[in-house]
Structures are given as C-alpha cells and as structure tokens.
Amino acid sequence: QAWGRRCIASESQVRRMKADASRILALRGAPHAALGKRRSNEELLATVEQALSQAGIPRERWKDSIPQPLSRLAGTDYQRQVTQLYFDGLELRQLAGFLVELRRRDPTLSVTGLTLAPRPSSSGYDVEMGVAYLVYAPREERASAGRRVPADGS
C-alpha cells in the first residue's frame, strides 16, 4: 500500500512539473521588459539626450529623430514603438558608449536596426538606428473574450 501512495504522490509531482514547464515555456516567449502604456516622445528623447551626454557625444551630432507608427507584434498582446535616430560623424567608441548608456538608463529600450555609413572626408560614421520599446496592450478579441454576456444580451 505504501507503494500505491508513493505512485499517487509521484503522479501529482509529475503534473506539477508539467505545469511548471508549461509556464516556463510561456514565459520564454514573453518580452523581457514592457511598459504598461506608451511613453511620450519627449520622455524618450530626454533619455537619448542624457545618454549622449554621458557618452561624451556633442548634442550637435544628433541630427533627427522620427517616431514610427506603433505596430502589433503578431500573435501577442504587445505593441512595438520604434523611433529612428540619426547622428553625424560618430566614432565607433562613441557609438558603443551611447548604446551602453542608453540601455543602462532604460532597460526597456532595444536597438532594432543599425546602419553605419563611413564619412568620406573624415573619420567616423553617419549613423541611423531604430530604438524600440514594447507596450503591453491586450488585443481587443482577447480582452473581451473573458467578459460574460447576460442572457438578455445587454
């Protein structure tokens, strides 16, 4: 009889381990960091400006920033906000310092693209990069799926 109880406990443990494994797999597919709401463009640009300053890059090297339309990550409850940043004449050391400082200041930010164009008349590169963050925004069909509709339809 002790064996029978042991098997029941073992089956229970296996069920818990399977449930835990399922949760771990679900978490692996989730973003590491996401915001609860979209931030203002001014807030993002202030973070960029602070990171530039800490990396020792003159403000004049930052030429432009263009927020892109918010886009849904397929099959998820997350949207991505990308802002294109443009810089002139950065050395690789400056660029690396800026990227490290940007991530240190805001761990929710990631670089989604990076283009370096060598400057013909001097050292350094003209840089175009996408900086993105995720926003948790449940899809409408999922958000309404959990609501009960009364029998009278109201």
Side-chain angles (χ1 to χ4, degrees), residues 1-151:
Q1 286 187 341
W3 174 255
R5 276 185 251 142
R6 192 174 201 173
C7 287
I8 291 172
S10 179
E11 288 174 25
S12 163
Q13 289 173 340
V14 168
R15 279 193 301 274
R16 280 188 299 212
M17 286 188 289
K18 284 182 179 179
D20 289 344
S22 292
R23 277 187 245 135
I24 289 169
L25 290 174
L27 288 172
R28 280 186 182 170
H32 296 291
L35 302 177
K37 65 179 180 130
R38 191 173 177 186
R39 73 179 72 185
S40 72
N41 195 44
E42 291 77 20
E43 183 182 351
L44 173 66
L45 299 181
T47 301
V48 169
E49 195 158 6
Q50 292 165 357
L52 283 172
S53 175
Q54 280 301 118
I57 299 171
R59 172 68 177 84
E60 306 79 51
R61 299 280 178 92
W62 181 14
K63 295 304 177 188
D64 203 358
S65 60
I66 303 173
Q68 304 301 303
L70 200 60
S71 63
R72 167 92 39 208
L73 293 179
T76 74
D77 287 330
Y78 297 92
Q79 293 179 319
R80 175 182 285 144
Q81 176 61 60
V82 177
T83 299
Q84 291 298 121
L85 301 175
Y86 300 89
F87 304 95
D88 284 347
L90 294 185
E91 299 292 332
L92 292 178
R93 155 188 68 72
Q94 291 175 311
L95 177 59
F98 168 71
L99 293 174
V100 167
E101 187 61 30
L102 189 64
R103 181 76 175 175
R104 188 187 72 72
R105 290 187 169 279
D106 189 342
T108 66
L109 294 176
S110 62
V111 174
T112 59
L114 180 63
T115 303
L116 302 174
R119 296 179 66 91
S121 60
S122 66
S123 65
Y125 298 86
D126 291 339
V127 178
E128 176 184 341
M129 74 173 68
V131 175
Y133 63 91
L134 299 179
V135 178
Y136 179 71
R139 294 174 285 179
E140 291 300 320
E141 64 271 10
R142 183 176 281 180
S144 62
R147 295 191 196 128
R148 290 192 122 188
V149 178

